[in-house]
Amino acid sequence: MENLTYTHNAEAASVIARFYDSPPMAYVHSYGCQQNVNDGEKIRGVLLDTGFGICENVEQADLILFNTCAVREHAEQRVFGNVGALKKLKEKNPRLIIGICGCMAQQKHIVEKLRASYPYVDLVFGVDGIDRLPAMIAQRLQKGRRYLEDPRERNAVVEEMPIRRDSGFRAWLPIMYGCDNFCTYCIVPYVRGRERSRKPEHILAEFRDLVSKGYKEITLLGQNVNSYGKGLEEPMDFSDLLNLLCTVPGEYQIRFMTSHPKDASRKLIDTIAAQDHLCKHIHLPVQSGSNRLLQQMTRHYTVEQYLDLVGYARQKIPGVTFSSDIIVGFPGETEDDFQATLDLIEKVRYMQLFTFIYSKREGTRAARMPDPTTHAEKAARMDRLLKAQDAIAFPMVAAMAGQTVRVLAEAAGRNPGTINGRLDNNLVVEFPGQQDLIGQYVNVRLTGSRAALLTGEVAQSNRT
Ligand code: SAH
Ligand code: SF4
Ligand code: F3S
């Protein structure tokens, strides 16, 4: 694996400066997971470093970049729809550059489709192209021809990339890239390449910088944070990394995702229990409650092992809550398999579930498995799962009324004059408050709930 450092591309910046009469504007939109959102923040940083300004709507843009997700078919269709809608803009402004990057652009058939059927898309590059973006734009401008890169894998980590973060108080911090697990349904290992861990000193430096800038919530990112450290010169596992970060003084909380159950250790649970900075909430995607399907998915754990870990966490971390991802309608899922998933969610009693109907991804092993269940049947199962989950979660949410909790005020609420704050357990509470609270910790007394949303009020003389 290569360790690289970003350097400012002065030559590309001067080509770009000469081409435009005034500083060009870029519009960047990211789809998909937080990893991709963080990549989008780096794309903006690199563009700013190369002389672009950032704009928030496509009409003002000289460069439009869609940073895409390939995890489900629906995500890809949305991108194609949104790109199609740009054709008119391009007709009005032939100098407009339209680019597609990210996970979709790592698939050969997608690049071929863009090449053949979307002639107005003139820049295509994959997930490892962000540091080379200035050079690509310069080449596109100088040669006046489309610049489409075929998918490739670089197996590198690039440090010191400029970044323009979306928020001043919540930050994403990738600790590793790629995935080696090859769960049979999943495209991510194919588009994100092999697992690479960042060096602890680089992570610590970025973390310190965030804390010193006043960031309150820092979410560590990786497709499987529990396998952090593989391949590093000095052995270090994820719990060691968490302990290292928690030595940084300051008022902040740490979240992380995603924890793969096969690698989530008791040591990790003990670490969460011991460190005040770590949120007492674990996102632990189970995918299915059927051992037969877990094996077909190659998840490398059983329902029993999963429940054992959940039980251990409940015993060690008072008040711990769980959330999970579930796939409904994996190829060959029977009514019994699905019932096993319903049984599992009853046992774990998740606070939140992220549920997905299985989407066939070309090139994955599951794509070749027989899948006789109709979409209508899968949708009906999904409906049952959501109803079962609501029946579990809503009373748990409602039962929190009366508690006073510390929340991070994160945005304006839906009702005028209210603020949304996020609890340690990832639930959201809406409470009356002024905009100037956003980005601060507030103690809130929970007064009730509407479905999964808590309602509350600022606790008297208790603002931190
Ligand atoms: N690395 C993480 C998940 C990344 S993808 C993990 O292992 O948990 C996020 C979620 O998308 C997955 O947890 C899974 O539930 C869902 N997902 C991935 N591929 C999918 C597919 N082909 N169809 C439907 N859902 C999928
Ligand atoms: Fe996909 Fe599995 Fe890797 Fe998660 S661990 S990204 S689900 S292959
Ligand atoms: Fe999507 Fe790529 Fe993330 S496929 S979920 S944006 S890693």
Side-chain angles (χ1 to χ4, degrees):
M1 186 197 79
E2 264 185 302
N3 272 292
L4 306 170
T5 307
Y6 176 85
T7 45
H8 171 73
N9 188 335
E11 207 184 310
S14 91
V15 169
I16 292 162
R18 281 200 305 274
F19 189 82
Y20 296 98
D21 303 330
S22 56
M25 301 302 276
Y27 170 90
V28 181
H29 183 77
S30 294
Y31 301 79
C33 64
Q34 284 87 347
Q35 181 70 65
N36 229 34
V37 170
N38 182 251
D39 281 350
E41 294 179 325
K42 287 178 185 156
I43 291 171
R44 289 202 182 104
V46 167
L47 289 169
L48 284 165
D49 184 51
T50 318
F52 278 84
I54 301 297
C55 62
E56 296 305 326
N57 66 61
V58 287
E59 282 79 19
Q60 289 169 351
D62 301 287
L63 166 68
I64 297 173
L65 257 184
F66 287 153
N67 182 31
T68 60
C69 170
V71 81
R72 282 171 290 274
E73 196 185 356
H74 175 72
E76 295 190 340
Q77 282 165 347
R78 239 180 45 196
V79 170
F80 280 118
N82 291 351
V83 174
L86 297 178
K87 195 174 170 190
K88 283 205 179 69
L89 276 182
K90 181 83 173 200
E91 281 162 6
K92 261 196 275 172
N93 173 15
R95 276 165 63 116
L96 173 65
I97 300 180
I98 298 175
I100 307 280
C101 60
C103 293
M104 274 173 76
Q106 287 292 137
Q107 299 175 97
K108 205 157 176 260
H109 70 275
I110 298 280
V111 177
E112 274 161 15
K113 180 167 169 177
L114 290 167
R115 183 173 281 129
S117 312
Y118 292 79
Y120 51 95
V121 170
D122 30 28
L123 186 62
V124 174
F125 61 96
V127 296
D128 289 330
I130 301 175
D131 58 317
R132 294 179 292 112
L133 176 57
M136 293 183 220
I137 298 173
Q139 186 173 334
R140 160 73 186 80
L141 295 179
Q142 280 178 317
K143 298 207 170 146
R145 278 204 310 268
R146 306 171 78 190
Y147 181 93
L148 279 64
E149 279 195 345
D150 281 326
R152 53 161 140 171
E153 200 186 316
R154 187 156 62 150
N155 199 22
V157 170
V158 187
E159 293 294 347
E160 290 175 42
M161 205 97 94
I163 185 159
R164 159 66 77 88
R165 294 188 191 271
D166 296 341
S167 160
F169 59 92
R170 300 171 71 189
W172 314 115
L173 202 178
I175 62 167
M176 58 194 297
Y177 304 99
C179 180
D180 286 350
N181 288 307
F182 290 94
C183 302
T184 53
Y185 50 81
C186 185
I187 196 75
V188 171
Y190 300 90
V191 296
R192 284 276 169 180
R194 298 292 56 75
E195 221 166 78
R196 286 98 74 199
S197 291
R198 288 178 74 190
K199 290 186 177 166
E201 60 265 32
H202 290 141
I203 298 170
L204 182 63
E206 185 172 348
F207 187 85
R208 273 191 209 287
D209 181 55
L210 289 168
V211 173
S212 75
K213 286 179 174 144
Y215 280 87
K216 299 277 189 303
E217 181 181 274
I218 298 166
T219 304
L220 310 180
L221 300 178
Q223 293 301 343
N224 177 9
V225 290
N226 297 314
S227 68
Y228 173 78
K230 267 199 256 163
L232 287 177
E233 281 157 32
E234 282 179 42
M236 175 171 241
D237 68 14
F238 182 53
S239 302
D240 299 334
L241 178 72
L242 287 171
N243 285 326
L244 174 70
L245 299 179
C246 287
T247 60
V248 175
E251 195 190 34
Y252 59 83
Q253 62 196 36
I254 299 177
R255 297 185 189 276
F256 50 85
M257 66 192 311
T258 299
S259 258
H260 193 306
K262 85 178 161 72
D263 298 316
S265 62
R266 291 195 166 206
K267 181 176 172 189
L268 173 67
I269 306 289
D270 295 341
T271 307
I272 299 172
Q275 294 285 7
D276 288 342
H277 286 299
L278 302 182
C279 288
K280 309 303 175 211
H281 169 79
I282 312 178
H283 182 60
L284 201 59
V286 71
Q287 312 299 356
S288 168
S290 152
N291 279 332
R292 191 182 74 82
L293 286 194
L294 287 175
Q295 203 174 12
Q296 299 266 301
M297 293 174 171
T298 60
R299 290 289 287 179
H300 298 290
Y301 53 83
T302 62
V303 169
E304 292 70 28
Q305 286 164 335
Y306 184 91
L307 288 173
D308 186 57
L309 192 69
V310 166
Y312 183 73
R314 284 233 154 92
Q315 185 192 325
K316 290 282 165 164
I317 313 168
V320 68
T321 52
F322 297 92
S323 59
S324 196
D325 295 349
I326 304 259
I327 295 177
V328 172
F330 181 82
E333 183 186 72
T334 63
E335 175 59 27
D336 280 355
D337 292 321
F338 177 67
Q339 190 59 49
T341 297
L342 292 179
D343 293 345
L344 178 77
I345 69 161
E346 291 288 346
K347 284 191 186 127
V348 180
R349 307 188 70 76
Y350 294 105
M351 204 52 119
Q352 272 173 324
L353 273 192
F354 302 90
T355 52
F356 311 99
I357 290 189
Y358 168 75
S359 171
K360 183 173 170 176
R361 304 286 63 208
E362 215 169 284
T364 62
R365 273 188 286 160
R368 298 193 299 269
M369 297 178 186
D371 187 7
T373 314
T374 63
H375 186 80
E377 266 177 273
K378 293 183 182 188
R381 282 181 192 161
M382 174 63 101
D383 210 44
R384 286 160 64 199
L385 177 65
L386 293 176
K387 286 206 173 77
Q389 171 59 17
D390 287 352
I392 293 166
F394 293 172
M396 288 201 310
V397 176
M400 294 189 68
Q403 294 181 27
T404 296
V405 293
R406 187 182 79 155
V407 307
L408 180 58
E410 63 177 23
R414 181 113 65 88
N415 289 311
T418 65
I419 298 288
N420 281 348
R422 193 169 294 270
L423 281 67
D424 196 75
N425 64 13
N426 218 31
L427 288 177
V428 174
V429 56
E430 185 186 82
F431 59 95
Q434 302 297 323
Q435 299 273 332
D436 64 352
L437 290 178
I438 292 173
Q440 297 187 42
Y441 285 118
V442 185
N443 287 334
V444 171
R445 199 176 74 82
L446 304 174
T447 51
S449 64
R450 296 193 301 269
L453 180 75
L454 284 155
T455 50
E457 60 196 21
V458 177
Q460 286 308 312
S461 68
N462 220 352
R463 208 170 128 178
T464 55

